[in-house]
Amino acid sequence: MFSFDHSAGFESVPAMYDTLVSQARSLFEGEPSHIANAANLAALVYHSVPDLNWAGFYFFDGSELVLGPFQGKIACVRIALGKGVCGTAAATGQAQRVPDVFAFPGHIACDAASRSEVVIPLFSGDKLIGVWDVDSPKPNRFTVEDKDGMQALCQVWLDACSSAA
Ligand code: SME
């Protein structure tokens, strides 16, 4: 019987994200550099979550989103607020779960292989910090459990940033 395994051998997708959250907490413990922690989160997720072709950050520089630490192919460097999936997440403050990137108006194709995408907006209080973006070459790759898991991982990173401040 053919089936997708999106839980990387864990008993469930939430169990996989619980483990990743614990690993991220350990990785960030005592480390105040948000850049270093962002780089390690991208590497942790990219090499742990099945079927990704891109995972990483865009940071808000006060006017637009600028590429941050990531894993995957080279990506567009600057994205205006409101543009593409990333700019939409940043402008609306709403996580974006896109089953078919070709059906998303204004989607920005960095890696032509990408078919589905999740973008989590990153806020410290009401201040926009940036977005976390994951892409998959598989259509409809990301479930609500994936979006929730990514949000939990982003919160660990945000908590590490605020405890360093
Ligand atoms: N697809 C994104 C652009 C970033 S890349 O996927 C890394 C978007 O539409 O905003």
Side-chain angles (χ1 to χ4, degrees):
M1 173 84 72
F2 179 76
S3 68
F4 287 119
D5 178 11
H6 285 162
S7 51
F10 288 90
E11 74 183 32
S12 66
V13 169
M16 176 186 74
Y17 283 106
D18 285 350
T19 299
L20 291 173
V21 161
S22 298
Q23 289 175 328
R25 280 208 189 97
S26 301
L27 271 171
F28 304 161
E29 176 133 29
E31 177 48 67
S33 167
H34 74 277
I35 297 285
N37 290 338
N40 264 340
L41 185 61
L44 176 69
V45 168
Y46 186 81
H47 292 286
S48 305
V49 176
D51 300 321
L52 301 184
N53 63 322
W54 205 89
F57 287 83
Y58 282 85
F59 293 132
F60 183 56
D61 73 352
S63 63
E64 58 190 349
L65 297 170
V66 183
L67 184 64
F70 71 95
Q71 300 268 311
K73 288 190 179 172
I74 56 172
C76 41
V77 175
R78 290 173 185 271
I79 299 175
L81 293 191
K83 297 290 180 198
V85 186
C86 291
T88 299
T92 62
Q94 301 291 315
Q96 304 291 309
R97 187 169 66 91
V98 180
D100 173 6
V101 295
F102 297 136
F104 190 97
H107 167 257
I108 300 162
C110 289
D111 181 343
S114 296
R115 290 291 176 275
S116 55
E117 182 163 5
V118 164
V119 179
I120 309 293
L122 305 169
F123 281 86
S124 174
D126 57 5
K127 185 174 163 228
L128 177 65
I129 305 293
V131 301
W132 165 253
D133 180 18
V134 285
D135 289 26
S136 173
K138 291 191 172 175
N140 204 11
R141 158 66 185 82
F142 301 106
T143 63
V144 171
E145 289 176 337
D146 289 293
K147 185 199 70 150
D148 291 348
M150 294 297 173
Q151 258 167 336
L153 284 164
C154 288
Q155 193 57 53
V156 176
W157 180 80
L158 285 164
D159 290 347
C161 290
S162 60
S163 69

